[in-house]
Amino acid sequence: MTSHETVSPPTGVLPARFRPPTGSSDARTLSLDGPWRFRLSPTARTGVERSDSGEGWDQIEVPGHWQLAQAPDAWPYGTPAYSNKLFPFPIDPPHVPDENPTGEYRRTVTLPADWPTTGRTSLRFEGVDSWFEVAVNGEVVAVSHGSRLPTEIDLTDVLRPGENLLAVRVTQWSAYSYVEDQDQWWLSGIFRSVTLEHRPEAGIGHAAVTAGYDAASGVGTILVDVEGAAPGTRVSVPELGLNLAPGESASVPVEPWSAERPRLYEVVVTAPGERVVLHAGFRSIAIRDGVFLVNDAPVKLRGVNRHEFDPLRGRTVSPALMEEDVLLMKRHHVNAVRTSHYPPHPHFLDLCDRYGLYVIDENDLETHGFEDERGWEGNPVDDPAWTDVLVDRVTRMVRRDAHHPSIVLWSLGNEAGAGRNIGAMAAAIRALDRTRPIHYEGDWSSDDVDVYSRMYATSEHTALIGQGIEPPLARAEADARRRLMPFLQCEYAHAMGNGPGGLTDYDDLFDAHPRLMGGFIWEWIDHGLSRRDADGTLFSAYGGDFGEAFHDGTFVADGLVLPDRTPSPSLREVAAVFAPVRLDVVPAGDAILVRNRYAFRDTAHVTFAWTLHHGDDVLADGVLDLGALAPGATVTVAPPAGLPLPAADHTPTWWTLRAVQEKADALDAPWFDGRDDAAADGSFVIATGQVAVVPAVALAVPSAAPIRGSVEADGSFTVGSARFDAVGTLLSLGGRRVEGLRVDAWRAPTDNDRRSGMWTGPSDQTVWQESGLHLLAERKISATLDASGALVVEARTAGPRTRNGFRTTYTWTAAADGSVDLRARIVPEGRWDGTVARLGLLLTLAEEHAADVDVTWTGLGPDESYADSRKAAVGGTYRHTVADLGTRYTHPQENGARRGVTHAALRFADGSGLVLDAGPTVYGGVPRAGVELSLRPWSDQALDRAAHPHELVPDGLLHVHLDAAQHGLGSAACGPGVLPNAALHPAPADLTLRFTPSAG
Ligand code: GAL
């Protein structure tokens, strides 16, 4: 038998077979999940006999990772460790360190008395990380690896009546760790289910299902091959009246399968000894003229990369969590999943078939750690010694999964460089399945694949590829071949922390160019593992939180959903950008372009409902009859004539159009029904578009009845309910103590701010630090009452070591109604080269219970939005507490900005209030409605310092940002930075604000 440091395909194992849904075969199975006896040794030489029954050992739950056996409270078997691409051990293939935690698992297996005595019995592992050896009754029967691939072992001749001892030895590190270097936690053990399976005599060993569809005729063709079919085996499709022999094909009219309409037909394979019920979907995948087609229609993949992740159990993911992922994706208009970077648990694919998601099934292969040190030297992907191992991997994937209609592409792996084994794997797949194109990103020459794939290509470059004018490859014939391929961004829009920005820029390109077949956002979920801190508080741990000497920190937290699957605002942005019906304001701003972006559905199921509203005051509503728009159809609609328009004030009046699905049909129902976010009437808003029919006009400042400011005996000033010291520092407002009011231009850097766009140049964070923005302080220059009685304060705000700064004129007036008005003109001074994070005012108010302050605002919402992440933001009136306005990103950073806020009413714990009215704002000469409002119970400095959200403690102050503008988000954590259309360069800003305090 081979060892964990030998490079060879698994031994003693059966060829991989198709995995129909659990329970779909009538053959007997016996689950071996549950408690096993367990002992962890520090090295692979465990000193434990295979015949040792493990009496008195610990118990551990299978499936599971040993590092997480007692998470989140205790870590008796070592801790998880996170590294992205660098191997956490010396590059010395196929060797791994002697320090190699090795789990010895023991379990007694007793075949039930009525277990069939004919046929065979096999033992099946769905996933074991990394290398393992299986012994029965003291004798080794198999050695396997391929952590996310199945292993099946024939035990018929070794099992005896009564008790059998099953012994599994699993090493954490092995030769195969070199080809499983995916960016994720290193976690070990038997992490997917184990079953004993009866393989009946004259049963169904392996079945390959092909169900094609001809869109022109509406005819589907089915063919089911059964390997070594026993005489008498039949294949039937009851709904279609088909009864076929294995290998016999039939063509009949069918309803096709697509992610939009996941129509499945029951296929019953009946052999003399076994019956299996499968679900087939008829569909065709093709590439024609460089365009990716499903059922002959161009389809854009609007996808996400999904790792398997449970914050408590790692890659042991329950069926319920898998379903939660699929439901969340469907409800946010995600139509595709790349199973980065390994074949998922097979149940996940059953769910994709059933709910409708296009899948790229990816091989369990990544050798990224070879890249950095010596440019891929020694890469297994180019080493003949590894060919059989890698071919075995894709073979197991394809044989296990090929019956799933949801799979539209095979992927050879991720970030494994180029080399001869890429071709070998592609050939092996083509020998098994010619119905799906092959994907692999790691070799840009694309010699062995069918689609051209890149990750994190900029939108500029994507536009070139879309037009077919990208820079050529050196080899003319490879270039010509690649130019005929559709283009896929297998990863783009890195969703780390607050972001990604710029999603619409990509999505518009996907729509504009037929060659672009879409992309997959990186990535679905933050892999924050639950852990308790010293006080017992649960938090989401990332790299370094387990004391790893070698780790990649927060880079493991880069998903659209937080570790507990709470959608981050970016998922709602994704939903708005990916929506299959899009409602976009036309450039002139007075009408909405309605686009049906479904490939196969008309809009008969969509109601176009509108309201005319001022904040949440609805003035009129109605429904537009647009007929059933065909796939691809567009129509421009304007607000109806004769609307009861109110007089203009500083808050716009909106005409809001919604594309609403009111009820589900049979194919939608699985994701539509039972939504916890359903509207009261159960409807589902597919998309929203909005026109400001009565734009905001300026607040009248000073108001009609101004009252004069005054100078007190000590030289201090009073303007209405606002008190100032003698240099013009605001001390209180409506009796509430003011801790500070100054210009601000910094934010707690996001993960995107911290890194350089496309890995070049300084990060935004560095630029801002060099401008001293994180240490701004204000110097008052003068404070005087002008002739009208307004207090005019001149000030300069700047950071250390620079001459650059901001010169501000604050003009304070008050009115008889108790309101205090402020006009602030902020002018950048000096030589500014780079961007600023924001530009506006930071007002800090004393408030013991700042997190509980209740806020009702009119502006964009309900979620945070930023200049390049605002498709989901809709104008209206919304309400939250300050605590709920914030997003608890796994790694704390800037969050919670609400844009276009023209009115906000704050209610403090003592019942007193403060109403803020704003607008318009002018930035760089361009007017904008309202301000960008952020409210926090802690400072941006504290936000920046915190490593985890639970470390943030309210500081007794309410920190109010009233910004004229804020910098976009970009995707620089991995990819392009903020695009010019959302970058904030310093420019003169005018803010117009009214504060109306009220007593408690
Ligand atoms: C890609 C890689 C992913 C992940 C991502 C960054 O290069 O394929 O696995 O590491 O970058 O989060």
Side-chain angles (χ1 to χ4, degrees):
M1 281 287 166
T2 57
S3 91
H4 66 284
E5 292 179 298
T6 315
V7 176
S8 98
T11 50
V13 300
L14 293 165
R17 57 193 298 267
F18 80 128
R19 188 62 173 168
T22 310
S24 61
S25 159
D26 61 358
R28 287 287 298 275
T29 60
L30 179 68
S31 169
L32 300 186
D33 291 352
W36 288 48
R37 295 182 286 281
F38 182 74
R39 169 173 286 180
L40 189 71
S41 300
T43 71
R45 291 176 199 283
T46 63
V48 178
E49 295 295 328
R50 293 170 180 110
S51 55
D52 186 332
S53 66
E55 287 313 314
W57 293 6
D58 295 348
Q59 294 225 322
I60 201 169
E61 196 66 20
V62 168
H65 298 283
W66 64 62
Q67 290 91 345
L68 301 178
Q70 292 177 32
D73 301 306
W75 317 89
Y77 310 119
T79 48
Y82 166 59
S83 65
N84 168 10
K85 59 177 177 173
L86 302 184
F87 291 113
F89 45 77
I91 304 181
D92 183 19
H95 304 292
V96 291
D98 290 345
E99 274 176 48
N100 187 4
T102 297
E104 292 279 5
Y105 290 80
R106 295 294 184 274
R107 195 189 197 286
T108 308
V109 179
T110 308
L111 286 180
D114 59 347
W115 192 262
T117 49
T118 57
R120 317 287 302 172
T121 295
S122 68
L123 174 65
R124 182 172 173 110
F125 294 86
E126 292 298 345
V128 181
D129 195 327
S130 135
W131 173 94
F132 66 112
E133 177 201 87
V134 182
V136 176
N137 300 326
E139 296 300 321
V140 177
V141 293
V143 163
S144 191
H145 53 82
S147 298
R148 275 68 60 158
L149 287 163
T151 295
E152 208 163 309
I153 306 161
D154 187 343
L155 295 190
T156 319
D157 300 332
V158 293
L159 285 179
R160 35 184 206 228
E163 287 195 351
N164 293 272
L165 177 65
L166 180 57
V168 184
R169 175 177 296 170
V170 184
T171 64
Q172 167 151 357
W173 308 119
S174 70
Y176 308 101
S177 305
Y178 288 99
V179 294
E180 294 176 12
D181 186 29
Q182 291 93 344
D183 175 5
Q184 58 182 350
W185 294 100
W186 294 98
L187 293 168
S188 323
I190 307 175
F191 74 98
R192 289 185 188 157
S193 289
V194 187
T195 43
L196 207 59
E197 312 209 328
H198 178 236
R199 302 306 321 131
E201 216 164 82
I204 301 155
H206 173 69
V209 182
T210 321
Y213 180 70
D214 178 45
S217 61
V219 166
T221 299
I222 187 160
L223 185 152
V224 178
D225 256 325
V226 179
E227 227 166 65
T233 302
R234 301 295 297 174
V235 175
S236 69
V237 188
E239 213 183 321
L240 299 174
L242 296 177
N243 187 329
L244 308 167
E248 182 190 353
S249 76
S251 298
V252 285
V254 293
E255 285 177 61
W257 184 96
S258 70
E260 289 170 18
R261 314 295 294 154
R263 176 67 157 99
L264 294 173
Y265 289 84
E266 217 171 76
V267 175
V268 186
V269 185
T270 314
E274 186 179 9
R275 183 172 181 271
V276 173
V277 182
L278 288 167
H279 290 95
F282 292 87
R283 53 119 191 81
S284 67
I285 308 296
I287 292 169
R288 200 178 325 119
D289 300 331
V291 179
F292 177 75
L293 306 171
V294 175
N295 301 336
D296 243 11
V299 160
K300 305 292 179 183
L301 301 180
R302 295 194 155 91
V304 294
N305 279 279
R306 173 185 181 267
H307 267 289
E308 295 183 315
F309 188 71
D310 174 325
L312 275 174
R313 309 184 69 208
R315 288 186 284 278
T316 300
V317 180
S318 67
L321 270 193
M322 294 180 208
E323 187 160 23
E324 193 173 331
D325 279 348
V326 170
L327 289 172
L328 275 170
M329 289 175 193
K330 287 296 288 184
R331 290 169 184 165
H332 292 86
H333 304 313
V334 169
N335 75 358
V337 188
R338 174 174 177 236
T339 69
S340 52
H341 300 300
Y342 39 80
H345 189 287
H347 181 64
F348 180 74
L349 298 171
D350 293 330
L351 295 168
C352 294
D353 294 346
R354 170 162 163 240
Y355 286 95
L357 286 168
Y358 299 117
V359 175
I360 300 188
D361 196 3
E362 187 148 277
N363 183 30
D364 194 355
L365 168 64
E366 174 159 341
T367 64
H368 207 172
F370 284 92
E371 182 183 18
D372 277 19
E373 205 215 3
R374 292 199 207 147
W376 296 108
E377 185 183 309
N379 183 10
V381 155
D382 198 28
D383 181 348
W386 283 86
T387 309
D388 292 348
V389 167
L390 300 185
V391 165
D392 169 72
R393 289 190 171 214
V394 288
T395 305
R396 282 152 79 192
M397 169 177 75
V398 174
R399 284 177 63 93
R400 191 194 75 165
D401 293 342
H403 60 287
H404 291 284
S406 54
I407 298 173
V408 296
L409 290 157
W410 299 114
S411 176
L412 302 176
N414 183 60
E415 297 188 317
R420 67 192 86 187
N421 295 331
I422 295 295
M425 287 188 290
I429 292 182
R430 291 196 176 101
L432 293 168
D433 177 31
R434 289 206 152 261
T435 67
R436 296 165 174 103
I438 294 179
H439 165 271
Y440 175 61
E441 190 272 347
D443 179 0
W444 290 1
S445 69
S446 308
D447 284 326
D448 300 299
V449 296
D450 303 304
V451 299
Y452 175 24
S453 175
R454 292 273 297 271
M455 49 175 78
Y456 310 108
T458 61
S459 39
E460 292 93 318
H461 199 87
T462 307
L464 295 182
I465 298 173
Q467 297 164 75
I469 54 172
E470 71 273 19
L473 285 167
R475 279 183 297 123
E477 118 283 341
D479 186 65
R481 195 172 164 272
R482 199 179 71 176
R483 255 171 232 286
L484 293 176
M485 293 179 182
F487 177 73
L488 180 71
Q489 285 258 44
C490 69
E491 295 176 27
Y492 78 112
H494 198 253
M496 187 176 182
N498 191 347
L503 206 52
T504 39
D505 300 82
Y506 283 108
D507 206 76
D508 290 350
L509 290 171
F510 298 160
D511 276 337
H513 301 291
R515 187 186 187 193
L516 304 182
M517 60 187 276
F520 293 78
I521 293 178
W522 187 268
E523 68 174 309
W524 176 242
I525 188 166
D526 277 3
H527 314 204
L529 285 169
S530 297
R531 167 168 203 154
R532 276 186 213 287
D533 74 359
D535 303 336
T537 309
L538 262 188
F539 72 101
S540 291
Y542 46 73
D545 283 335
F546 292 98
E548 306 105 287
F550 181 92
H551 65 84
D552 284 299
T554 55
F555 209 56
V556 79
D558 52 3
L560 295 170
V561 299
L562 302 180
D564 65 358
R565 290 182 163 68
T566 302
S568 89
S570 57
L571 186 61
R572 283 186 270 272
E573 179 71 6
V574 165
V577 175
F578 283 8
V581 177
R582 277 273 296 256
L583 307 177
D584 297 304
V585 182
V586 299
D590 57 352
I592 290 175
L593 176 67
V594 180
R595 287 186 288 157
N596 177 3
R597 302 201 302 175
Y598 287 109
F600 306 106
R601 283 187 103 165
D602 65 21
T603 58
H605 62 297
V606 181
T607 302
F608 293 93
W610 60 264
T611 53
L612 177 77
H613 59 113
H614 186 252
D616 56 0
D617 191 6
V618 175
L619 310 171
D621 57 17
V623 168
L624 296 184
D625 181 6
L626 304 183
L629 300 174
T634 63
V635 57
T636 302
V637 297
L643 290 175
L645 300 182
D649 68 6
H650 71 285
T651 285
T653 298
W654 287 295
W655 185 72
T656 303
L657 181 64
R658 290 192 167 82
V660 182
Q661 184 170 349
E662 277 161 1
K663 55 182 185 348
D665 64 17
L667 293 177
D668 289 329
W671 61 265
F672 187 96
D673 294 339
R675 296 175 345 265
D676 42 18
D677 61 343
D681 62 359
S683 64
F684 176 72
V685 176
I686 297 173
T688 306
Q690 199 168 54
V691 170
V693 274
V694 184
V697 294
L699 274 176
V701 169
S703 73
I707 53 173
R708 295 183 63 88
S710 54
V711 192
E712 310 303 323
D714 59 359
S716 63
F717 297 93
T718 302
V719 182
S721 70
R723 310 245 176 280
F724 302 80
D725 68 11
V727 296
T729 312
L730 178 66
L731 301 176
S732 69
L733 193 57
R736 179 168 297 273
R737 185 169 62 81
V738 172
E739 183 76 14
L741 172 72
R742 67 161 170 86
V743 165
D744 201 6
W746 188 72
R747 69 185 180 196
T750 64
D751 291 310
N752 288 311
D753 295 337
R754 288 167 190 271
R755 291 180 168 76
S756 310
M758 297 313 278
W759 303 273
T760 49
S763 67
D764 288 338
Q765 178 190 27
T766 303
V767 169
W768 301 338
Q769 258 174 20
E770 283 173 2
S771 304
L773 301 186
H774 58 313
L775 293 169
L776 291 179
E778 195 160 278
R779 172 174 67 83
K780 298 287 183 298
I781 298 167
S782 63
T784 48
L785 286 182
D786 71 7
S788 69
L791 172 64
V792 180
V793 180
E794 292 286 334
R796 191 171 191 280
T797 316
R801 78 173 190 184
T802 170
R803 288 167 211 266
N804 292 347
F806 304 96
R807 174 75 177 237
T808 307
T809 308
Y810 298 93
T811 306
W812 294 93
T813 51
D817 64 1
S819 62
V820 176
D821 293 340
L822 167 64
R823 273 176 302 153
R825 177 164 177 79
I826 308 169
V827 180
E829 290 184 333
R831 293 187 204 145
W832 291 90
D833 304 322
T835 58
V836 291
R838 56 169 19 113
L839 196 56
L841 302 178
L842 171 59
L843 171 67
T844 319
L845 301 171
E847 170 55 40
E848 226 16 78
H849 306 283
D852 303 328
V853 170
D854 182 271
V855 191
T856 304
W857 80 96
T858 299
L860 301 187
D863 294 321
E864 65 187 31
S865 61
Y866 291 83
D868 54 0
S869 175
R870 59 191 164 113
K871 189 69 199 143
V874 178
T877 297
Y878 305 94
R879 183 172 172 186
H880 266 321
T881 60
V882 165
D884 290 342
L885 281 171
T887 304
R888 289 171 64 87
Y889 288 110
T890 302
H891 172 225
Q893 54 197 278
E894 158 64 30
N895 67 82
R898 301 302 195 279
R899 307 172 77 245
V901 176
T902 52
H903 176 87
L906 275 49
R907 174 88 23 221
F908 297 100
D910 63 1
S912 66
L914 179 65
V915 173
L916 269 165
D917 287 281
T921 298
V922 182
Y923 192 83
V926 181
R928 316 166 159 222
V931 287
E932 300 199 13
L933 177 68
S934 310
L935 296 156
R936 267 186 258 292
W938 38 70
S939 68
D940 288 346
Q941 285 70 17
L943 183 62
D944 182 39
R945 275 193 306 272
H948 304 93
H950 72 289
E951 296 162 12
L952 283 161
V953 186
D955 59 8
L957 300 169
L958 179 64
H959 303 259
V960 185
H961 280 288
L962 300 156
D963 290 316
Q966 199 178 147
H967 190 57
L969 299 172
S971 196
C974 187
V978 176
L979 298 179
N981 61 12
L984 189 69
H985 291 277
D990 290 281
L991 288 148
T992 308
L993 299 162
R994 170 162 300 154
F995 304 95
T996 313
S998 62

